Amino acid sequence: AQRVTQPEKLLSVFKGAPVELKCNYSYSGSPELFWYVQYSRQRLQLLLRHISRESIKGFTADLNKGETSFHLKKPFAQEEDSAMYYCAPPTGANSKLTFGKGITLSVRP
Amino acid sequence: DAGITQSPRYKITETGRQVTLMCHQTWSHSYMFWYRQDLGHGLRLIYYSAAADITDKGEVPDGYVVSRSKTENFPLTLESATRSQTSVYFCATGLAGVTGELFFGEGSRLTVL
């Protein structure tokens, strides 16, 4: 099964501090991973995906096959980054798409 | 262009009652999912469907029933609601294939008294 693990539940930082939200995966094939974000009282939405290698709202995520990790990073956190973040594998045939437990990011002024 | 809609958005019911949460999409995405979101547990998959008339259990299916007679609808029924089913329920759709992403509804907040 394609599984991801988010080892931390909460990360609290001050505005301007670097952020790293951790995600580890267990895969048998080539992984394609996603980060989703849920702002307060909003629906979950895609933040970024591994395959596109993009930077969204200053966030990046690098796939490290040696460490089987897909950590989400931002060099300077902003208050509007406060949200719940979920790491997830892709949909696919016979895939029970199971999210990580999520991590709450709190950015203090 | 609503995309994916869930109804009702808020529901209060009593233990033992049957409740159905509706999910409707306008995209014709093949995959549909039901998740529940609880503090400390994150998102947990209840059921999913790869296509019309094809459904399968997720992590926490007990106490829930789903059907998918049409591609666009994926109702979730709690046959006899329990307090432990108090939660926020999210429906999501997705395209098949390893590059697919999920599109979420706004959620349905269910309280079982």
Side-chain angles (χ1 to χ4, degrees):
Chain A
Q2 301 164 329
R3 291 202 172 269
V4 294
T5 303
Q6 294 180 255
E8 300 162 332
K9 291 185 178 181
L10 172 66
L11 179 63
S12 183
V13 301
F14 285 107
K15 177 182 175 181
V19 168
E20 181 179 75
L21 306 180
K22 297 181 180 178
C23 174
N24 294 96
Y25 65 89
S26 59
Y27 262 46
S28 57
S30 179
E32 298 293 346
L33 293 156
F34 298 79
W35 275 99
Y36 287 81
V37 61
Q38 185 181 25
Y39 301 105
S40 179
R41 300 186 181 279
Q42 295 187 25
R43 69 180 74 195
L44 280 89
Q45 56 186 288
L46 180 68
L47 178 63
L48 58 79
R49 67 188 78 190
H50 156 65
I51 193 171
S52 63
R53 301 183 183 278
E54 57 199 345
S55 174
I56 301 294
K57 298 183 179 182
F59 284 97
T60 58
D62 292 323
L63 186 68
N64 185 321
K65 293 185 178 181
E67 297 181 355
T68 60
S69 68
F70 188 55
H71 301 332
L72 184 68
K73 299 178 183 179
K74 185 170 183 176
F76 307 103
Q78 303 298 315
E79 290 179 66
E80 55 265 31
D81 295 328
S82 294
M84 188 111 178
Y85 292 80
Y86 289 94
C87 182
T91 56
N94 301 315
S95 172
K96 292 186 179 183
L97 201 158
T98 304
F99 283 74
K101 290 187 182 292
I103 180 170
T104 299
L105 173 63
S106 174
V107 182
R108 293 169 286 172
Chain B
D1 183 11
I4 178 169
T5 55
Q6 292 184 233
S7 62
R9 293 290 313 283
Y10 302 92
K11 176 74 175 179
I12 299 175
T13 191
E14 295 177 338
T15 301
R17 290 191 179 269
Q18 184 179 78
V19 176
T20 295
L21 305 179
M22 303 301 294
C23 179
H24 175 78
Q25 61 150 327
T26 60
W27 294 309
S28 298
H29 288 170
S30 54
Y31 279 85
M32 296 189 76
F33 303 81
W34 273 107
Y35 292 90
R36 58 178 292 174
Q37 185 181 43
D38 303 289
L39 195 63
H41 293 281
L43 281 171
R44 291 183 291 176
L45 181 63
I46 304 171
Y47 269 95
Y48 71 105
S49 169
D53 297 322
I54 301 175
T55 63
D56 203 354
K57 296 178 180 179
E59 302 173 86
V60 289
D62 293 342
Y64 302 94
V65 175
V66 294
S67 62
R68 194 166 176 206
S69 57
K70 294 183 179 181
T71 299
E72 60 266 31
N73 296 323
F74 192 41
L76 175 73
T77 298
L78 288 67
E79 293 187 301
S80 179
T82 65
R83 290 181 181 172
S84 64
Q85 292 177 310
T86 292
S87 185
V88 181
Y89 292 86
F90 286 96
C91 179
T93 68
L95 296 164
V98 294
T99 58
E101 71 177 89
L102 292 193
F103 301 85
F104 283 85
E106 293 182 286
S108 295
R109 183 177 293 275
L110 176 67
T111 301
V112 183
L113 301 176

